Amino acid sequence: MKRINIIIYFLLTFIPIWASAGTNVGNCIFTTSKSFDIIASLQYFDKIKDVPRFCNLATDSVFMSRLSHVNENVKASKLCNFYSIYGGDKNNTDSCVIFFNNIQLNDSISRSDADWIRNIVELRPEITYCISALNAAGYSDYWDNEIKPILERQIAAYPVSEKTLDDIHDALTEFSGPEILPPTHSNTYILNIDNAFNLSDESFCCTPLLLDVELEKKFRLDFLKVYIHENLHRLSVSDELMRKLDDLMMDDFYRDNENVARSHNEGHNEAFVVAAEAFISHKIGRRDNKSVYDEFKEYVDGSLVLTPIIYVHLHDKQKDESLDSFILRLFDNGTIKAGRVKAEYDKAMRQLGSKIVSDER
């Protein structure tokens, strides 16, 4: 599916679901986080700068200078991941301020040699200053009264039946083979942001735009298909398979398209997940053949050229075979091979196209 703009780009990449009462699932999947929202507001300060209580900050040169320095060096996704990994309170902005102020006292943080962690540690003074200023300006009260009610209304308005979720989970469980996916669904934190990103604990942060049914219709964004997609990212990918992908870069057709995919922050093993999502969605009746074909032609400008090749062979995947082992088998038997990618891609797309023709008869 082609990235229509930067918002839609992220909308198509990450997320699971929730819905309201009655025949819908309870609030065990979707939730909110005041702390994540105040952290994300550093990157999204433009969304609140005209709110009366924050106007003084918008004209404060010291605050804006430090905010700019933070945003030039780290994204909200990294800050929220950092906060989540090290156990920050997700619903208390006072605790959030204390957390960042005391980073240097946290032994787990100080022992980390990850570059992105060290980067946040170095930015601690500026991050703490900005979050403290927002908190002092009344962010907690603002969130309680202005943000939370909007998020909760949008969450409650998105209908998803429990049966649908059960069907999807059963299909995911069957597809995963020897890999056991957790029986519970991941939390999704609906935040006052315009994009979406995953957290290292397999939960997600995302914009309430994902819960807008009209936008879903307009841009052909099927929330449940994205839900399947992201859950499939939980399946493991071996170093051996990633090395085979690297070796495949000697194939001109694959390399040219892979470079396009990577320019969109996609590529690598994304083709595996897109193929698997389409396969599962088609199997449970959430995609028809034309939807599958269009997905492969349009998603990231059609650059994930391994996707249709994998898809047309997934019916041969054995029940006790992992997705990783199955794709390794496609490499081993020459289905995916340098010098043959374009031929196999064209063959797979023709096969999909013929199914569309059959459906229309």
Side-chain angles (χ1 to χ4, degrees):
M1 192 175 298
K2 193 178 188 295
R3 309 306 198 198
I4 298 172
N5 55 40
I6 192 64
I7 294 176
I8 302 305
Y9 169 83
F10 280 101
L11 298 191
L12 291 170
T13 310
F14 308 100
I15 131 115
I17 64 195
W18 182 79
S20 57
T23 60
N24 295 331
V25 180
N27 61 358
C28 58
I29 297 177
F30 273 0
T31 187
T32 58
S33 169
K34 186 189 299 187
S35 297
F36 282 157
D37 256 322
I38 194 173
I39 292 170
S41 71
L42 300 182
Q43 182 176 332
Y44 290 96
F45 184 69
D46 281 350
K47 292 174 68 70
I48 63 172
K49 67 179 182 180
D50 294 326
V51 175
R53 70 179 74 210
F54 303 124
C55 285
N56 288 339
L57 293 179
T59 58
D60 183 331
S61 60
V62 175
F63 174 83
M64 293 304 295
S65 175
R66 295 188 180 188
L67 179 67
S68 178
H69 182 69
V70 170
N71 288 332
E72 287 171 358
N73 289 278
V74 69
K75 299 295 185 184
S77 56
K78 290 294 187 185
L79 289 174
C80 289
N81 260 291
F82 180 87
Y83 191 73
S84 179
I85 289 170
Y86 294 109
D89 189 310
K90 293 183 176 62
N91 291 295
N92 188 305
T93 56
D94 291 334
S95 294
C96 187
V97 171
I98 293 170
F99 171 88
F100 280 102
N101 197 48
N102 293 330
I103 281 176
Q104 292 176 319
L105 301 179
N106 189 313
D107 290 339
S108 296
I109 296 175
S110 62
R111 287 196 299 267
S112 176
D113 58 0
D115 290 341
W116 72 276
I117 298 290
R118 305 314 310 162
N119 179 51
I120 292 175
V121 171
E122 291 176 3
L123 291 169
R124 182 197 63 80
E126 291 85 356
I127 295 170
T128 304
Y129 181 91
C130 292
I131 291 180
S132 296
L134 286 164
N135 194 46
Y139 188 90
S140 180
D141 180 67
Y142 165 73
W143 189 89
D144 287 337
N145 293 287
E146 303 295 331
I147 300 301
K148 185 179 181 181
I150 294 173
L151 299 181
E152 290 185 336
R153 282 198 300 272
Q154 290 176 291
I155 286 172
Y158 192 86
V160 180
S161 72
E162 188 167 4
K163 180 182 183 305
T164 297
L165 283 181
D166 288 343
D167 289 344
I168 290 172
H169 182 70
D170 289 345
L172 286 166
T173 300
E174 179 181 1
F175 184 83
S176 65
E179 291 193 63
I180 306 300
L181 292 177
T184 57
H185 303 288
S186 301
N187 282 330
T188 297
Y189 296 94
I190 305 301
L191 306 183
N192 185 35
I193 58 177
D194 294 337
N195 69 348
F197 51 84
N198 60 335
L199 299 173
S200 59
D201 64 354
E202 296 185 342
S203 59
F204 306 86
C205 297
C206 76
T207 172
L209 291 173
L210 280 170
L211 308 184
D212 189 317
V213 175
E214 293 307 312
L215 280 180
E216 185 177 74
K217 293 176 181 176
K218 181 178 180 180
F219 294 111
R220 295 192 296 116
L221 296 174
D222 188 318
F223 193 74
L224 293 176
K225 291 168 187 170
V226 181
Y227 170 74
I228 296 169
H229 177 109
E230 189 52 40
N231 273 276
L232 285 164
H233 268 296
R234 300 181 183 191
L235 298 179
S236 62
V237 179
S238 65
D239 291 340
E240 180 184 3
L241 182 52
M242 294 307 294
R243 286 194 296 270
K244 288 183 180 294
L245 281 182
D246 290 339
D247 293 341
L248 201 60
M249 290 294 280
M250 68 178 65
D251 182 289
D252 293 342
F253 179 71
Y254 174 77
R255 182 181 62 252
D256 290 346
N257 281 282
E258 179 67 5
N259 287 335
V260 172
R262 293 183 186 184
S263 73
H264 289 287
N265 294 315
E266 294 285 5
H268 302 289
N269 63 312
E270 188 69 12
F272 310 161
V273 174
V274 174
E277 180 276 311
F279 181 80
I280 289 175
S281 291
H282 183 268
K283 183 176 181 179
I284 63 176
R286 296 199 59 81
R287 281 192 187 277
D288 58 19
N289 288 315
K290 187 177 187 306
S291 172
V292 171
Y293 183 90
D294 290 344
E295 179 84 356
F296 298 164
K297 288 289 289 185
E298 298 174 8
Y299 190 86
V300 201
D301 296 326
S303 58
L304 301 180
V305 293
L306 295 186
T307 303
I309 301 173
I310 294 169
Y311 176 86
V312 298
H313 289 279
L314 272 170
H315 66 274
D316 291 329
K317 179 180 174 295
Q318 300 169 10
K319 288 186 177 180
D320 60 349
E321 189 174 32
S322 69
L323 180 61
D324 183 82
S325 297
F326 166 74
I327 298 174
L328 280 172
R329 181 155 61 87
L330 295 183
F331 275 94
D332 292 341
N333 66 23
T335 300
I336 301 176
K337 179 181 180 181
R340 288 285 305 165
V341 177
K342 188 176 189 309
E344 290 294 333
Y345 169 83
D346 290 341
K347 178 181 176 182
M349 292 301 284
R350 285 195 302 271
Q351 183 175 333
L352 290 171
S354 66
K355 290 183 178 180
I356 298 174
V357 174
S358 295
D359 291 343
E360 294 173 346
R361 287 175 180 170

